[in-house]
């Protein structure tokens, strides 16, 4: 049972809680204590923020051999998305025909079930991506 | 204090299955069922969707339309459903965190068949009206299931809507609410049972029709109004036909119920049905227009509302989130096998390490 | 810092070794290496073991002690250390052994790598493999390790015009090499259309673009260069062993079409050894997925960035080409027991540099390079070996 390990990340998994270095402006997701560019100069200057949830597809794949938890969804699309704040996230892309996925397409986050600790265990929720319709 | 709807948001999953397809598998005349129920397709949630994700999307849509509202000013959030993902652990706490209004607020989950969402609206009205809270969120959402092969399978569907109840910058004033509640066992599910049971034709006259008409008459009497005073009427809609019949019984026309009647396209979204129907009306309603709403929940009870649109709706940012019509049109039709797989009706092997 | 040589090598066949347990694997490879160096057990000063995940594969941690015990080395209570960096565990263990001898702390060291992967089902084995990536922010969202490399491939195709055929050719070439290696898991040649028509794993990578699940172990014996010739007539000198790290998650990089850790480790290794990439005749690189070899041959400096696919298709990385890459068959054909691979790469190079590689001998091999990767390039170790 990994309850606490998932619960602890909810602010980032539900609301995209990130952190910005007050020294150089670089955004990190998930939040980290120190800027990896500025090191000591960033201590005490890290500012919490939530990502807006929009970005564009940087790369993608269609997964056919799925881990046991994702058997129901295969084949599913996995994307790396460059968020508007500069930081990149990895998750699934919903509601899109695999043939229609394009590098550069605009997407937004939405809350979905990302796993569970078995049929009797806690359900985990987190972000997945959906296309932004024009 | 004028208490009412400050904002609203909706969400319906995009997958659809038709009565013809369901009938094909069970050896029934799906075409006849479709005509008899006046349902052309019903919505099906993806395996990674549930009442919590539907409620969150609807509530986020609601918040997008009022960026000036600070989520931390929300004092209460209630999710009404008969398909909460957990039997014990509230859906509402996850939704509250996901819209950023926790932790200094109260949450509870509601259950009353298809009227759990409107019960939540009534609670929020009381809490706002008494000055206890500034804003309350009332959500009605469901991922209801009917037993395979049962008539309910043709209609039980998924979707939900969320309402921000407050007293400031209200786009729709809730002038009045009245309810009619009795112990009537027309539809139920015992703990541990996979699917609900129903009383067949008992669910009609002594249940749906009696409670809706009684609550409706209470509203009309208390407001000293008549059906022609309203531009829109939204009734609970377990199929496409019942609302037409009850409208006629009460003196409302097909035209009045047209905008808020969604079941023919997306099926019966249970606790989401009246909230979605009301959302569809709010998508098009103009200042000064009046809406008559009666929700029904088996068990049984009906909640009636008298609502007037204010001129604040002209400045309301509806386009910030998708309209109900967008969700109705955004659809992907699936076959019965896919539907059974999505809805967990196929026995899966227990994982072996 | 004194010079270090490889004086003995050994290894098991790689494959689905149903009759062989983890402890047997480690012991077999170790004993073979010690015998090759003509040593006695009491000559050995320390043991380094590369292993990724015995805890999850066979529910056994503390495996360096286990292998020391079963190879008889615990009798003399020598220090036994386990090193882990996902697929680079073996390469890192090699570098730690090298540092121990170079520093003067130990005189004769055995470095082994072992993994027993077939005692669990395929699905669990693949999940364990994925734990090399970022569990919390990549894997939990559905990105398997194959999915991550597939996205690298997609981006390489997008940025450089690399084709699926060029990527697939890596598997064809490595199977051709594997067919010449009696210890390889797969000793059967395959053609390009087999690779292209294989079932998808994560598009654009199919089953034949991915290294298999394997059991196996490999070991080498290291000693200081000044004593090496008392043990072997063909010592192989380690002229550099460097290591670099990078962000764990692929999405934390600025580009995903190269592995900076490979570039940094390689540049440092060539500088230390006073050599250049075009002086290398033979290389063993980490082709856990076909696209990984294309990135490696670019990042190591053998071919310009973006040209790895073309070079492979043009035969530049097989016998007769500019630099023979993965003559052993690579991870794809030779097999990929996670912890053993980094050490097995060195074993192959030593055989090549000694002139003992049989049908897959690279003519006049005098300088060899091994490149071993963990995850999507968060750890890379590069070693340069030459005929002493």
């Amino acid at each position: 049972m990994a309850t606490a390990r998932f619960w602890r990340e909810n602010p980032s998994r539900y609301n995209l809680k990130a952190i910005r270095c007050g020294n150089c402006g670089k955004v990190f997701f998930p939040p980290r204590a120190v800027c990896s560019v500025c090191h000591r100069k960033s201590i005490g200057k890290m500012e919490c923020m939530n990502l807006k949830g929009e970005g564009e597809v940087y790369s993608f794949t269609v997964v056919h051999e799925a881990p046991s938890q994702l058997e129901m969804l295969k084949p599913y699309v996995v994307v790396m998305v460059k968020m508007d704040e500069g930081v990149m996230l990895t998750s699934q892309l919903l509601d899109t025909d695999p043939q229609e996925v394009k590098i550069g397409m605009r997407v937004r986050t939405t809350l979905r079930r990302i796993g569970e600790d078995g049929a009797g265990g806690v359900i985990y929720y987190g972000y997945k991506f959906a296309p932004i319709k024009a | 204090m004028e208490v009412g709807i400050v904002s609203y948001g909706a969400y319906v999953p995009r997958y659809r299955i038709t009565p013809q397809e369901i009938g094909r598998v069970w050896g029934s005349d799906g075409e006849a069922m479709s005509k008899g129920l006046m349902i052309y397709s019903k919505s099906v949630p993806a395996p990674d969707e549930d009442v919590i994700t539907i409620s969150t999307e609807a509530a986020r849509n609601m918040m997008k339309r009022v960026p000036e509202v600070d989520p931390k000013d929300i004092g209460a959030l209630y999710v009404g459903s008969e398909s909460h993902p957990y039997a014990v652990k509230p859906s509402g706490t996850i939704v509250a965190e996901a819209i950023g209004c926790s932790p200094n607020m109260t949450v509870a989950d509601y259950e009353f068949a298809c009227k759990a969402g409107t019960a939540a609206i009534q609670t929020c009205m009381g809490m706002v009206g008494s000055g206890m809270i500034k804003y309350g969120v009332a959500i009605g959402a469901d991922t209801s299931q009917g037993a395979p092969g049962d008539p309910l399978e043709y209609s039980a569907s998924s979707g939900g809507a969320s309402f921000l109840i407050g007293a400031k910058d209200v786009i729709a004033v809730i002038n009045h609410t009245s309810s009619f509640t009795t112990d009537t066992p027309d539809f139920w599910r015992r703990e541990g049972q996979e699917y609900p049971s129903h009383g067949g034709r008992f669910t009609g006259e002594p249940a749906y029709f009696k409670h809706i008409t009684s609550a409706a008459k209470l509203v009309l009497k208390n407001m000293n109004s008549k059906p022609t005073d309203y531009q829109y009427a939204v009734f609970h809609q377990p199929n496409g036909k019942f609302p037409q019949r009850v409208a006629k019984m009460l003196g409302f026309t097909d035209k009045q119920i047209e905008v808020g009647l969604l079941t023919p396209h997306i099926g019966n979204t249970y606790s989401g049905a009246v909230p979605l129907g009301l959302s569809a009306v709010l998508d098009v309603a103009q200042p000064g227009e009046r809406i008559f709403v009666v929700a029904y929940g088996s068990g049984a009870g009906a909640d009636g509302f008298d609502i007037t649109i204010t001129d604040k709706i002209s400045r309301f940012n509806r386009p910030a989130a998708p309209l109900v019509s967008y969700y109705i049109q955004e659809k992907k039709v699936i076959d019965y096998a896919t539907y059974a797989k999505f809805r967990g009706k196929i026995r899966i092997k227990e994982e072996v390490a | 810092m004194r010079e270090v040589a490889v004086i003995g090598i050994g290894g098991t066949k790689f494959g689905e070794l149903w009759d062989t347990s983890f402890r047997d694997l480690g012991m077999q490879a170790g004993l073979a290496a010690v015998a090759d160096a003509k040593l006695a057990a009491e000559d050995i000063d320390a043991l380094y073991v590369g292993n990724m995940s015995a805890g999850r594969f066979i529910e056994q941690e503390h495996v360096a002690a286990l292998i020391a015990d079963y190879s008889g080395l615990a009798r003399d209570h020598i220090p036994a250390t386990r090193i882990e960096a996902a697929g680079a565990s073996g390469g890192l263990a090699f570098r730690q052994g090298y540092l121990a001898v170079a520093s003067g702390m130990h005189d004769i060291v055995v470095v082994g790598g072992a993994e027993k992967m077939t005692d669990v089902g395929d699905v669990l084995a693949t999940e364990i493999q994925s734990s090399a990536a970022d569990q919390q922010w990549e894997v939990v969202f559905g990105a398997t390790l194959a999915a991550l490399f597939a996205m690298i491939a997609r981006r390489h195709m997008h940025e450089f015009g690399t084709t699926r055929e060029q990527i697939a050719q890596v598997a064809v070439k490595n199977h051709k090499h594997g067919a010449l290696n009696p210890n390889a898991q797969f000793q059967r040649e395959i053609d390009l259309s087999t690779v292209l028509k294989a079932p998808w794993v994560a598009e654009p990578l199919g089953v034949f673009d991915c290294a298999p699940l394997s059991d196996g172990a490999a070991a080498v014996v290291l000693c200081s260069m000044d004593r090496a010739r008392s043990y072997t007539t063909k010592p192989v000198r380690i002229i550099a062993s460097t290591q670099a790290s990078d962000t764990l998650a692929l999405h934390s990089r600025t580009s995903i079409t190269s592995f900076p850790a490979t570039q940094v480790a390689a540049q440092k290794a060539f500088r230390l050894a006073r050599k250049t990439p075009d002086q290398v005749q033979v290389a063993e690189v980490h082709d856990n997925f076909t696209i990984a070899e294309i990135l490696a041959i670019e990042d190591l400096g053998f071919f310009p960035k973006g040209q790895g696919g073309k070079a492979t298709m043009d035969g530049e990385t097989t016998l007769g080409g500019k630099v023979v890459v993965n003559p052993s068959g690579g991870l794809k054909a030779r097999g990929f027991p996670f912890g053993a691979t980094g050490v097995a790469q060195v074993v192959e190079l030593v055989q090549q540099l000694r002139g003992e590689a049989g049908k897959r001998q690279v003519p006049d091999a005098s300088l060899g390079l091994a490149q071993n990767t963990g995850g999507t390039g968060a750890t890379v170790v590069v070693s340069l070996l030459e005929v002493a």
Side-chain angles (χ1 to χ4, degrees):
Chain A
M1 269 202 294
T3 311
R5 173 157 67 86
F6 281 82
W7 159 81
R8 196 173 291 126
E9 309 300 338
N10 284 344
S12 292
R13 297 242 173 97
Y14 292 2
N15 297 321
L16 306 179
K17 178 172 169 214
I19 206 160
R20 184 191 292 115
C21 173
N23 201 50
C24 71
K26 189 165 151 84
V27 174
F28 295 91
F29 179 87
R32 42 178 81 184
V34 165
C35 172
S36 54
V37 174
C38 304
H39 296 286
R40 261 176 304 154
K41 281 190 247 161
S42 69
I43 294 179
K45 297 206 193 128
M46 303 299 278
E47 304 152 359
C48 276
M49 53 174 280
N50 288 345
L51 301 178
K52 187 157 162 277
E54 294 181 5
E56 58 177 57
V57 171
Y58 182 78
S59 190
F60 65 95
T61 180
V62 184
V63 177
H64 291 258
E65 282 193 12
S68 46
Q69 286 250 355
L70 291 169
E71 274 295 310
M72 273 296 173
L73 295 178
K74 75 176 197 199
Y76 58 89
V77 179
V78 169
V79 285
M80 286 171 72
V81 176
K82 190 93 180 193
M83 307 303 279
D84 290 344
E85 293 86 352
V87 78
M88 189 139 63
L89 270 52
T90 304
S91 187
Q92 294 160 43
L93 177 63
L94 308 161
D95 300 345
T96 314
D97 197 309
Q99 313 311 321
E100 307 276 302
V101 185
K102 299 269 179 292
I103 289 178
M105 66 186 272
R106 297 279 306 165
V107 293
R108 52 164 270 261
T109 52
T110 181
L111 190 81
R112 288 290 173 106
R113 289 166 81 115
I114 58 172
E116 61 180 20
D117 247 346
V122 174
I123 305 167
Y124 304 122
Y125 295 90
Y127 50 84
K128 293 193 187 182
F129 292 99
I132 292 178
K133 296 283 161 93
Chain B
M1 202 189 313
E2 277 196 337
V3 175
I5 300 169
V6 174
S7 182
Y8 69 99
Y11 176 76
V12 181
R14 68 198 288 262
Y15 295 103
R16 303 281 185 271
I17 188 169
T18 63
Q20 287 83 344
E21 174 63 6
I22 297 172
R24 176 183 75 78
V25 171
W26 292 107
S28 305
D29 188 345
E31 183 70 44
M33 284 301 283
S34 176
K35 283 211 176 73
L37 295 168
M38 206 171 114
I39 292 178
Y40 314 124
S41 65
K42 70 168 196 174
S43 59
V44 181
D48 59 356
E49 299 192 279
D50 62 19
V51 160
I52 289 172
T53 64
I54 291 171
S55 300
T56 299
E57 192 73 356
R60 283 177 172 175
N61 281 341
M62 173 190 80
M63 295 306 288
K64 278 188 190 149
R65 288 170 164 152
V66 280
E68 67 276 12
V69 172
D70 183 351
K72 299 289 187 211
D73 284 339
I74 293 170
L77 187 146
Y78 300 97
V79 178
S81 178
E82 57 130 79
S83 48
H84 289 288
Y86 293 93
V88 176
K89 191 202 145 5
S91 305
T93 55
I94 296 164
V95 181
E97 287 224 4
I99 64 169
C101 61
S102 61
N104 298 333
M105 40 92 63
T106 183
V107 165
D109 278 2
Y110 274 13
E111 177 272 307
F112 196 141
C114 305
K115 81 159 196 79
T118 50
I121 293 176
Q122 290 175 326
T123 306
C124 286
M125 284 171 67
M127 293 180 79
V128 170
S130 63
M132 271 177 79
I133 61 176
K134 192 164 172 201
Y135 296 107
V137 176
I139 301 171
D142 252 302
T143 54
S144 51
Q145 291 223 52
D150 183 279
L152 277 180
E153 193 179 27
Y154 293 86
S155 59
S157 67
S158 304
S162 174
F163 298 91
L164 185 67
I165 308 295
K168 184 171 174 292
D169 292 326
V170 165
I171 59 170
V173 180
I174 305 178
N175 304 307
H176 175 82
T177 180
S178 279
S179 295
F180 183 82
T181 310
T182 70
D183 173 16
T184 305
D186 57 319
F187 168 96
W188 66 93
R189 184 170 63 83
R190 294 289 301 275
E191 185 75 56
Q193 292 293 302
E194 182 104 41
Y195 297 109
S197 306
H198 55 93
R201 289 190 54 81
F202 181 64
T203 64
E205 208 225 288
Y208 177 91
F209 292 99
K210 173 170 164 191
H211 292 75
I212 292 202
T213 53
S214 304
K217 283 170 184 163
L218 276 173
V219 173
L220 294 168
K221 175 158 160 275
N222 288 324
M223 289 304 295
N224 201 21
S225 59
K226 42 196 196 309
T228 46
D229 292 337
Y230 302 89
Q231 281 68 44
Y232 302 97
V234 180
F235 295 108
H236 178 51
Q237 38 199 278
N239 53 61
K241 294 247 175 103
F242 273 22
Q244 289 180 324
R245 241 176 79 195
V246 84
K248 205 170 177 155
M249 284 164 74
L250 291 165
F252 289 90
T253 65
D254 276 355
K255 187 96 182 28
Q256 285 170 303
I257 66 168
E258 192 185 347
V259 172
L261 183 57
L262 307 176
T263 294
H265 307 288
I266 59 175
N268 177 9
T269 55
Y270 282 50
S271 293
V274 159
L276 277 167
L278 176 55
S279 296
V281 170
L282 291 171
D283 279 347
V284 299
Q286 297 299 309
E289 291 188 315
R290 212 160 155 194
I291 316 171
F292 190 84
V293 179
V294 185
Y296 170 73
S298 291
D303 299 330
F305 301 84
D306 180 313
I307 298 174
T308 304
I309 307 290
T310 70
D311 49 27
K312 298 264 179 358
I313 209 166
S314 328
R315 273 165 284 139
F316 178 66
N317 197 359
R318 262 195 214 106
L323 302 183
V324 172
S325 54
Y326 167 83
Y327 288 117
I328 306 259
Q329 282 154 30
E330 256 307 289
K331 60 185 181 206
K332 190 166 180 293
V333 180
I334 56 177
D335 62 14
Y336 194 89
T338 307
Y339 154 82
K341 174 178 144 188
F342 279 7
R343 302 268 40 211
K345 297 189 202 244
I346 299 178
R347 238 199 327 225
I348 304 290
K349 179 168 178 283
E350 188 75 44
E351 218 188 289
V352 176
Chain C
M1 293 277 283
R2 52 187 185 169
E3 288 192 326
V4 184
V6 181
I7 58 169
I9 55 174
T12 67
K13 193 172 184 315
F14 285 4
E16 292 174 328
L17 310 175
W18 303 112
D19 294 329
T20 317
S21 68
F22 176 81
R23 52 191 78 184
D24 284 340
L25 286 172
M27 187 187 59
Q28 282 174 21
L31 290 180
V34 166
D36 185 51
K38 299 190 192 45
L39 285 173
E42 48 268 27
D43 298 330
I44 297 161
D45 298 323
L47 171 66
Y48 291 86
V49 175
N51 172 268
M52 176 182 172
S53 202
R56 286 181 78 181
F57 280 120
I58 56 168
E59 296 189 315
Q60 175 71 59
E61 302 285 16
H62 210 179
V63 294
L66 175 63
I67 295 196
D69 179 359
Y70 274 70
S71 24
L73 297 172
R75 177 197 72 178
D76 298 324
H77 308 293
I78 61 165
T81 309
R82 179 240 191 125
I83 291 107
E84 185 275 321
S89 300
L92 258 71
F94 176 74
R95 182 168 177 271
Q96 292 301 309
Y98 160 73
L99 290 176
V101 177
S103 69
M105 196 57 172
H106 296 300
D107 291 327
I108 298 184
V109 153
V110 172
V111 176
E115 206 86 43
K116 178 78 191 163
M117 294 170 48
T118 59
D119 279 353
V120 299
D122 281 8
V123 172
L124 179 54
T126 311
E127 285 174 23
I128 296 171
Q129 180 192 50
S130 290
S131 68
D134 187 328
Q135 194 66 23
Q136 298 282 73
W137 304 101
E138 289 178 312
V139 181
V140 83
F141 289 97
T144 57
L145 198 67
L148 295 169
F149 276 92
M151 290 195 284
I152 290 172
R154 176 81 59 197
R155 198 65 209 184
H156 206 275
M157 293 160 79
H158 176 79
E159 287 179 29
F160 304 112
T162 303
T163 65
R164 239 210 107 201
E165 287 75 11
Q166 290 170 338
I167 296 171
Q169 185 61 23
V170 171
V172 174
K173 165 188 76 78
N174 287 346
H175 267 258
K176 197 178 87 177
H177 295 170
L180 305 169
N181 183 353
N183 272 352
Q185 183 163 351
F186 299 119
Q187 297 177 26
R188 183 174 64 88
E189 290 196 25
I190 55 173
D191 62 19
L192 193 62
S193 77
T194 303
V195 183
L196 295 173
K197 288 205 241 171
W200 290 122
V201 172
E203 297 179 35
L205 302 176
V207 170
F208 280 88
D209 288 287
C210 310
L213 299 171
S214 326
D215 302 326
V220 296
V221 184
L222 308 181
C223 87
S224 60
M225 191 63 224
D226 55 16
R227 291 173 55 184
R229 285 182 215 279
S230 35
Y231 298 103
T232 175
T233 53
K234 295 184 196 170
V236 170
R237 185 187 293 117
I238 303 168
I239 54 173
S241 188
T242 55
Q243 185 178 325
S245 62
D246 203 343
T247 65
L248 182 62
L250 193 61
H251 59 231
S252 301
R253 314 271 170 82
T254 44
S255 159
I256 67 173
T257 49
S258 56
F259 285 166
T262 303
Q263 294 169 331
V264 166
Q267 283 156 20
K268 206 173 194 174
F270 284 117
R271 201 174 60 244
L272 280 171
R274 285 191 249 263
K275 299 279 184 196
T276 58
D278 46 73
Q279 293 176 294
V280 175
Q281 294 91 23
V282 58
E284 285 278 305
V285 311
H286 197 91
D287 62 318
N288 55 341
F289 297 94
T290 42
I291 183 66
E293 177 167 319
I294 296 196
L295 256 69
I297 60 181
E298 293 171 357
D299 293 333
L300 290 166
F302 295 142
F303 301 101
K305 180 47 68 185
Q307 297 297 305
K310 181 172 187 303
T312 305
M313 195 55 110
D314 289 347
E316 298 282 23
T317 56
T318 187
L319 292 154
K322 182 177 169 206
V323 51
V324 183
V325 177
N326 286 332
S328 63
L331 278 59
K332 176 65 194 76
R334 193 230 354 250
F336 181 28
F338 298 153
T341 282
V343 182
Q345 289 176 329
V346 173
V347 168
E348 176 69 16
L349 289 180
V350 170
Q351 286 181 299
Q352 291 282 348
L353 294 170
R354 283 180 181 175
E356 291 169 1
K359 292 206 216 124
R360 62 193 196 281
Q361 179 68 51
V362 174
D364 303 318
S366 59
L367 179 62
L369 179 150
Q371 181 257 4
N372 192 208
T373 308
T376 52
T379 300
V380 173
V381 62
V382 171
S383 300
L384 282 169
L385 288 79
E386 69 175 1
V387 175

